[in-house]
Amino acid sequence: MISIEVVLSPVLLHLTDVTDSNVVVIDILRATSTICTAIHEGAESVIAVKTPEEALELKLKGYITAAERDGAKLEGFDMGNSPFECMNGAVKGKRIALTTTNGTKCIEAVSHAGARNVLSGSFLNLESLSDWLINDNQRVVLFCAGWKDSFNLEDTLFAGALGGLIHQKTGCLIDCDAALMSIDLYECARVDLASYLKKSSHYKRLSHLHHEEDLKYCLQHSVIHEITGLRDGEMKKI
Ligand code: 3SL
């Protein structure tokens, strides 16, 4: 039967057994939104790697390399971590090796933990993702990437949006205080997410780096329908 748990930061992951669960990794700004966009734009796969060196090694195997640290694209890579870099045919049919400050580390961290599925979460495919999880009818763990092991608002808001939607559609019981808090937070902020998030640290960080268009894009709800999940070690359309 479906149930919902929320992990508010990577340092709390060890407290939750993810075995046989559908784990949704959440890095709304921007890694998991970018991964969902890449797959929507026809990329064959995105492999999440921990270090820039690992990404560069994969270039020799034909991957496009993408790297971000502290919000900025790293020198010497084909792409940074902006969803817009995946558009207009740039990634169609391509495999991408992506390394980011938080999101890809979290995908990597759960990839060998015995989860039933590891999925990429984004507001962009919120509705389809909720339907997919409801249809699979298993325990759901919403894993917030946060920022350098700390809690953040945008990932928590998405956990609340997705958890709330599943709860609304199924009436499932929620026995996790982090999930209840996330749902309440989303209810407070949902009328105007962008305005609510203006006070958040990563929103400010990305604004200073002139990524306003990315912020606007990543907060759109249910504009794409593909579900992206881990298959054979890479994030693919499932
Ligand atoms: O932390 C991450 O994984 C990134 O998504 C951060 S950023 O939005 O690219 O700055």
Side-chain angles (χ1 to χ4, degrees):
M1 209 181 109
I2 197 157
S3 64
I4 301 164
E5 277 179 56
V6 171
V7 175
L8 291 170
S9 103
V11 285
L12 299 173
L13 184 63
H14 70 283
L15 301 174
T16 301
D17 180 9
V18 299
T19 316
D20 299 329
S21 303
N22 284 322
V23 180
V24 181
V25 179
I26 304 168
D27 189 335
I28 292 305
L29 302 173
R30 296 163 290 171
T32 54
S33 300
T34 296
I35 292 170
C36 288
T37 301
I39 297 304
H40 171 69
E41 292 288 328
E44 187 183 318
S45 68
V46 180
I47 182 165
V49 294
K50 270 199 267 190
T51 65
E53 292 72 26
E54 285 171 83
L56 288 175
E57 270 171 35
L58 287 168
K59 192 175 178 85
L60 305 173
K61 295 188 179 162
Y63 286 73
I64 293 183
T65 58
E68 164 278 332
R69 284 296 179 273
D70 295 327
K73 173 182 182 290
L74 295 189
E75 282 295 313
F77 290 79
D78 301 317
M79 292 169 34
N81 185 28
S82 168
F84 287 101
E85 292 171 292
C86 302
M87 295 178 186
N88 303 317
V91 300
K92 202 169 170 51
K94 302 275 194 324
R95 293 175 298 168
I96 304 168
L98 173 67
T99 180
T100 68
T101 310
N102 304 284
T104 56
K105 268 203 283 185
C106 293
I107 293 172
E108 223 276 327
V110 284
S111 62
H112 305 293
R116 178 179 172 86
N117 287 287
V118 176
L119 304 159
S120 184
S122 73
F123 281 110
L124 303 166
N125 67 346
L126 171 66
E127 195 74 40
S128 308
L129 188 53
S130 71
D131 290 340
W132 191 96
L133 291 164
I134 290 167
N135 189 47
D136 202 43
N137 201 27
Q138 301 294 320
R139 181 167 171 260
V140 174
V141 176
L142 305 177
F143 177 22
C144 301
W147 182 260
K148 298 187 178 176
D149 286 344
S150 289
F151 166 96
N152 77 16
L153 281 175
E154 63 274 16
D155 297 342
T156 308
L157 284 170
F158 177 75
L162 182 56
L165 199 52
I166 294 171
H167 176 64
Q168 196 186 306
K169 287 178 178 178
T170 64
C172 64
L173 277 179
I174 301 180
D175 191 19
C176 164
D177 284 8
L180 294 168
M181 182 276 291
S182 308
I183 292 169
D184 284 353
L185 185 71
Y186 180 68
E187 285 308 314
C188 291
R190 64 180 299 165
V191 217
D192 190 349
L193 269 191
S195 301
Y196 182 86
L197 277 174
K198 277 190 179 135
K199 61 190 166 200
S200 74
S201 54
H202 198 43
Y203 198 103
K204 287 186 204 148
R205 187 178 296 112
L206 289 178
S207 296
H208 287 313
L209 292 164
H210 309 293
H211 292 316
E212 282 89 355
E213 288 306 311
D214 288 22
L215 292 166
K216 231 189 275 171
Y217 173 83
C218 293
L219 296 180
Q220 297 177 98
H221 285 42
S222 306
V223 291
I224 67 179
H225 307 291
E226 292 83 1
I227 305 301
T228 299
L230 210 54
R231 292 290 180 269
D232 302 322
E234 309 200 9
M235 299 301 274
K236 294 182 179 167
K237 180 175 169 182
I238 61 171

